[in-house]
Amino acid sequence: MKLDISKSGVVLSETIKAKAEAANELLYSGKGKGNDFLGWVKLPSSIDEAELAAIEAAAAKLRAKADLVICIGIGGSYLGAKAVLEAMSNPFQLLKKEQTNPTVLFAGQNISEDYIYELMEAAQEHSIGAIVISKSGTTTEPAIAFRLVKAAIEARYGKQEAAERIVAVTDKARGALKTLATNEGYPTFVIPDDVGGRFSVLTPVGLLPLAVAGVDIRALVAGARKMEAATAPEVKFDDNLSAIYAAVRNELYAAGKRTEILGSYEPRLQYINEWWKQLYGESEGKEHKGIFPASVTLTADLHSMGQYIQEGERTLFETIISVAEPKHKVVIEADGENLDGLNFLAGKRISEVNRMAELGVQLAHVDGGVPNIRIEIPRIDAEAIGALLYFFEKACGISGYLLGVNPFDQPGVEAYKKNMFALLEKPGYEEATKAIKARL
Ligand code: PA5
């Protein structure tokens, strides 16, 4: 992976470099804020063979039984698997006659009646299994979805077979899902206590659904492991890509750049953007501060957001994930009539046009006052994606400490739940119900 900050307009001082190094050290010494949630820091190097083998064995069992696996979870219990799966998948796979892997679809990441209805309706035509993921085991959205999926699986296969088709990923001891999994006899994987949801993609939360979908989880972990070594505290600042990225974005924030737009010219990375938005939004958006994480997929969004980025409020900067080598080769052919005037492109690869779009946009945006950070990954494969995920996680920890917040809590996500339960008249919320109904 390469990181180019030459068009960010930031010249890093020795002071910010030292601060970023100190922030990275805090992640290892455990003396910083939120120090009971640092399990992710050494996760790649600490995943052992037995754990990987157990995940692969559970995945193989589900793969043998089901051609559709419904993966239930929300937030950190959803976005990592979704992001990697989208990045690794052929978007047109379902159009092919032959399917070599089960289809993994997601539920519990919304409360849409239509979404769950249509998913369950389509599931009737398939042999189904499920992975239910919730660290707390009490989150409403996945709990509702799991009720429906569990009932459908039990109705179709009976309770005993359901326990062969459902795997739970949850806390080792606490929570309703843990109790339910124990009572029903579901195989269960543990989310470590010291790994928060948004940092959990390299635990069974991400690895199990990905293994079911046929993703090479060993290569994913290997990539993350390399990045863990490359961003360790003993690596000097100028070689530590996560520290550099964290320092630059904090300098841009201090200079008034309040929104960071993550973008890429590969649509299969769209959900990496979504995963990144949760990682940074939930980690840094507190105490009335933090960079607002936004995203674009290019070149599509140049035809929607391009105008704003070029000429709107000058409070933006961009971070582009650039992919050095596509998987496939497509050459543009000459056309006898040349009615579209594009014969000057004949003989060129589509990726060359994409690259020139990227470079042209970069300079146009920089000229328009939007600083640019460029992250280059060699290709989209499991190893490169594993490295990218860990790069962003490490940078997020450093960046949160530079900002002065606790990057590992999320007190703000509770507020909506209180109102929702009051409106739904949950027992124990009687006073809140009266108060909120009076405000409607
Ligand atoms: O990052 C987080 O901690 C959250 O996004 C959680 O992952 C999300 O709220 C789901 O929580 P749980 O896994 O407890 O159901």
Side-chain angles (χ1 to χ4, degrees), residues 138-330:
T138 55
T139 308
T140 311
E141 292 91 334
I144 291 173
F146 184 55
R147 269 197 180 209
L148 295 162
V149 173
K150 177 177 181 285
I153 292 178
E154 287 177 355
R156 179 119 56 107
Y157 305 103
K159 251 187 168 321
Q160 201 178 342
E161 175 65 10
E164 302 286 315
R165 287 174 177 263
I166 297 173
V167 180
V169 183
T170 188
D171 183 86
K172 71 173 181 305
R174 292 180 302 264
L177 179 56
K178 174 66 195 164
T179 311
L180 194 143
T182 308
N183 290 351
E184 302 285 355
Y186 299 153
T188 303
F189 286 89
V190 169
I191 308 173
D193 280 346
D194 57 357
V195 179
R198 59 191 173 275
F199 289 88
S200 70
V201 58
L202 296 169
T203 71
V205 169
L207 298 180
L208 179 61
L210 291 170
V212 169
V215 172
D216 182 351
I217 59 168
R218 286 172 190 265
L220 190 79
V221 171
R225 206 171 270 166
K226 282 186 192 156
M227 190 55 75
E228 181 190 327
T231 58
E234 50 279 11
V235 176
K236 60 179 193 305
F237 177 89
D238 292 324
D239 295 326
N240 184 334
L241 302 188
S242 293
I244 297 171
Y245 172 57
V248 171
R249 62 195 298 284
N250 273 272
E251 291 292 76
L252 288 167
Y253 182 60
K257 300 296 183 187
R258 304 282 147 168
T259 300
E260 177 176 9
I261 305 172
L262 185 72
S264 127
Y265 288 75
E266 290 297 339
R268 68 203 313 157
L269 296 184
Q270 197 172 341
Y271 268 88
I272 295 283
N273 294 348
E274 300 306 316
W275 171 84
W276 171 89
K277 284 195 279 196
Q278 187 208 0
L279 183 65
Y280 280 80
E282 229 171 53
S283 298
E284 295 195 315
K286 42 198 77 158
E287 299 175 27
H288 295 172
K289 50 188 182 179
I291 295 169
F292 182 78
S295 68
V296 286
T297 296
L298 305 165
T299 59
D301 288 340
L302 293 175
H303 301 262
S304 60
M305 297 300 290
Q307 172 60 36
Y308 190 100
I309 298 171
Q310 192 68 48
E311 295 183 345
E313 283 261 10
R314 299 300 71 190
T315 51
L316 315 172
F317 68 98
E318 270 181 327
T319 298
I320 297 297
I321 303 173
S322 182
V323 182
E325 194 53 45
K327 282 189 205 300
H328 306 287
K329 186 172 177 183
V330 181

Side-chain angles (χ1 to χ4, degrees), residues 130-141:
I131 303 171
V132 54
I133 307 173
S134 177
K135 188 173 184 199
S136 63
T138 55
T139 308
T140 311
E141 292 91 334

